[in-house]
């Protein structure tokens, strides 16, 4: 029965994508996010930047950003603060929400 539970976890763990363009559209940040819940909701975020090749993305964080919240009906993007993201010099994005404050730097290397 335990195998069925793990299968259901991975089968229902849907991954979504959000694309953010910098103010001058010189950079594109891709947020890959998902969540799962066992009483509290565990949210995971990975950040990528678009490269010069259409299908090639560069991962910006070593490990997923993990946020665990109990009893909230906020969406994953609202928990991250993605709708109010602040860009700095087309090179960094700061996400601010009641649950976290995270800066992501888009390295040009």
């Amino acid at each position: 029965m335990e195998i069925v539970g793990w299968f259901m976890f991975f089968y229902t763990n849907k991954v979504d994508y959000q694309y953010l363009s910098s103010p001058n559209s010189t950079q594109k940040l891709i947020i890959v996010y998902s969540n799962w819940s066992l009483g509290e909701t565990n949210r995971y975020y990975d950040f990528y930047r678009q490269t010069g090749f259409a299908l090639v993305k560069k991962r910006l964080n070593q490990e997923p950003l993990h946020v665990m919240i109990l009893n909230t009906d906020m969406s994953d993007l609202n928990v991250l603060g993605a709708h109010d993201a602040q860009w700095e010099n087309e090179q960094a994005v700061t996400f601010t929400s009641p649950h976290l404050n995270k800066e992501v730097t888009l390295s040009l290397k």
Side-chain angles (χ1 to χ4, degrees):
M1 194 65 170
E2 186 174 321
I3 293 172
V4 173
W6 279 108
F7 174 75
M8 291 302 294
F9 167 73
F10 287 110
Y11 181 74
T12 60
N13 193 18
K14 184 178 140 207
V15 175
D16 287 310
Y17 301 85
Q18 178 72 24
Y19 296 83
L20 297 178
S21 291
S22 62
N24 295 330
S25 298
T26 62
Q27 298 283 343
K28 184 172 283 194
L29 178 69
I30 303 156
I31 305 167
V32 180
Y33 61 98
S34 64
N35 71 55
W36 62 273
S37 182
L38 289 173
E40 69 283 335
T41 303
N42 291 276
R43 293 173 164 88
Y44 295 91
Y45 305 91
D46 282 307
F47 303 96
Y48 297 83
R49 76 168 172 85
Q50 184 69 53
T51 65
F53 302 100
L55 297 176
V56 178
K57 315 291 188 259
K58 180 177 180 186
R59 186 172 181 171
L60 300 173
N61 55 327
Q62 295 293 323
E63 294 182 17
L65 173 63
H66 173 234
V67 180
M68 182 173 54
I69 301 173
L70 182 64
N71 296 331
T72 185
D73 58 355
M74 292 177 72
S75 72
D76 295 333
L77 293 175
N78 286 339
V79 167
L80 179 63
H83 301 298
D84 298 319
Q86 299 295 311
W87 284 84
E88 182 179 325
N89 299 326
E90 302 281 311
Q91 300 302 312
V93 183
T94 301
F95 299 101
T96 304
S97 79
H99 303 286
L100 64 93
N101 186 9
K102 172 72 174 169
E103 181 177 289
V104 176
T105 302
L106 288 79
S107 171
L108 293 178
K109 296 178 182 178

